[in-house]
Amino acid sequence: MNLQRNLILYSFLFATSFLFAQNTSDFFFKPSDTLNKKRLNTIIISETAIGAAALIGLNQLWYADYPKSNFHFINDNAEWLQMDKIGHLYSSYHLGRFGANTLKWSGCNRNSQLLYGATLGLAFLTTVEVFDGYSSQWGASLGDVAANVAGTALFVSQELLWKEQRIVPKFSFHTTPYASVRPNVLGSTFQEQVLKDYNGQTYWLSANLHSFFRVSKIPKWLNLAVGYGAEGMITGEEGLVNTVFLPESERYRQFYLSFDVDLTKIKTKSYFLKTLFSVFNTIKIPAPTIEIKGSGGYKFHYLYF
């Protein structure tokens, strides 16, 4: 996924979460007990405008320079050791979570939150896949669609089963030497590398221990996180290395086990802080971590990012 396209998608993600930060009063951030039509109209208008602007910007920055084609699919499931697919799951989940939370803020009932809010990410990212499908340079990916559905399902299923989010996808990043080999693809600056260098990205499923075991001695904010990453990726597919005259590298998967913090479980009476904690609960807190390499062996990190 290109830097500009990533910027648009993640800008939409955070714009959705902060579109109501127009008032500094803590009361403003408190969810309404009953349907507040003014708030609901604000949500509909704001999300429509932000979504349309994101799609228009995406079209101009990503697709405009390439010819159109008949709608078609591609199979890119083997690329980047599926790191991009997990990124789709992550984005779909959190866009849906923010969509549901904004409807909760307006006082909509729970069914509306799940039906119209939690599907926000799926709707937006599916539209992006349609754009891909009509571009001769790319094509719609069934793998991407499946990952988008999985992200939405992860949120909705937990709401239906537990009425809370016990397992949350999270993200962390560290720099790698691979970006310097191919900076035009993997990023030349730190900001670019966060979005483009799959070698330094780690995606986590962070589970709240107290929610599962209900043991009073376990802090309510303590999570156990399982992570997935990959290294040695200079190109999307291994066979392309020699084609583009790049050095050989060993591609392998990485699996992690670590502790984490559920920021939404931190007690506070401030609804502003609750909103802030909810936004930053998308990021994995650095902590001691065990890494198991797919190529063999393991490594202990005193503090893993």
Side-chain angles (χ1 to χ4, degrees):
M1 203 178 272
N2 180 275
L3 168 65
Q4 294 170 328
R5 177 168 167 177
N6 266 333
L7 284 173
I8 292 170
L9 294 180
Y10 285 100
S11 293
F12 179 79
L13 172 68
F14 287 103
T16 302
S17 64
F18 278 115
L19 61 89
F20 312 112
Q22 52 191 297
N23 190 319
T24 57
S25 171
D26 192 62
F27 176 78
F28 177 81
F29 292 93
K30 181 180 179 180
S32 178
D33 295 328
T34 58
L35 180 62
N36 185 318
K37 292 186 177 180
K38 184 177 180 180
R39 287 188 175 187
L40 181 60
N41 289 335
T42 299
I43 292 172
I44 295 172
I45 294 172
S46 299
E47 288 188 351
T48 300
I50 292 171
L55 292 173
I56 291 171
L58 180 63
N59 182 66
Q60 293 300 313
L61 292 173
W62 182 259
Y63 302 102
D65 294 335
Y66 300 98
K68 301 293 184 182
S69 69
N70 293 328
F71 186 84
H72 63 287
F73 287 95
I74 60 170
N75 184 354
D76 62 350
N77 294 331
E79 294 185 2
W80 302 111
L81 293 178
Q82 295 79 49
M83 286 294 292
D84 58 324
K85 300 296 179 277
I86 299 177
H88 273 266
L89 184 152
Y90 171 89
S91 298
S92 180
Y93 173 93
H94 285 294
L95 277 170
R97 183 172 69 92
F98 289 139
N101 285 344
T102 54
L103 288 185
K104 181 180 180 180
W105 173 79
S106 74
C108 282
N109 60 47
R110 188 164 170 270
N111 288 338
S112 295
Q113 294 171 30
L114 296 181
L115 183 60
Y116 302 111
T119 56
L120 176 67
L122 180 60
F124 181 79
L125 294 172
T126 299
T127 304
V128 174
E129 287 302 319
V130 173
F131 280 20
D132 279 348
Y134 281 107
S135 174
S136 61
Q137 186 72 12
W138 296 277
S141 167
L142 289 177
D144 288 353
V145 173
N148 297 338
V149 172
T152 301
L154 178 61
F155 178 84
V156 174
S157 61
Q158 292 187 81
E159 287 296 319
L160 294 176
L161 183 62
W162 299 314
K163 296 183 179 180
E164 64 175 344
Q165 296 298 301
R166 297 184 180 183
I167 303 173
V168 178
K170 294 194 176 185
F171 174 85
S172 66
F173 178 80
H174 61 272
T175 57
T176 74
Y178 300 101
S180 61
V181 178
R182 205 178 180 197
N184 60 315
V185 173
L186 302 179
S188 58
T189 66
F190 177 79
Q191 291 80 4
E192 290 183 353
Q193 291 168 21
V194 170
L195 299 172
K196 301 173 73 173
D197 186 5
Y198 289 118
N199 299 283
Q201 297 177 2
T202 305
Y203 289 98
W204 306 81
L205 286 178
S206 183
N208 185 257
L209 296 176
H210 185 272
S211 294
F212 281 104
F213 300 107
R214 304 295 181 184
V215 177
S216 59
K217 292 183 179 180
I218 299 177
K220 292 184 178 181
W221 47 262
L222 182 62
N223 280 23
L224 185 66
V226 177
Y228 174 71
E231 278 206 31
M233 301 178 294
I234 302 174
T235 60
E237 296 184 56
E238 188 171 9
L240 295 178
V241 172
N242 292 330
T243 303
V244 294
F245 305 104
L246 293 171
E248 294 285 350
S249 59
E250 180 187 8
R251 302 159 67 92
Y252 60 91
R253 304 176 191 276
Q254 300 159 305
F255 304 92
Y256 300 91
L257 184 65
S258 180
F259 288 109
D260 187 32
V261 174
D262 186 341
L263 297 177
T264 66
K265 301 295 185 182
I266 297 176
K267 288 187 177 181
T268 176
K269 294 182 179 180
S270 169
Y271 286 98
F272 171 75
L273 288 179
K274 288 181 180 181
T275 301
L276 200 63
F277 288 157
S278 178
V279 172
F280 285 99
N281 206 45
T282 60
I283 301 172
K284 165 73 168 61
I285 301 298
T289 301
I290 297 174
E291 173 188 348
I292 302 173
K293 297 183 179 181
S295 59
Y298 68 92
K299 182 179 181 180
F300 178 75
H301 302 267
Y302 289 101
L303 201 62
Y304 181 82
F305 290 85

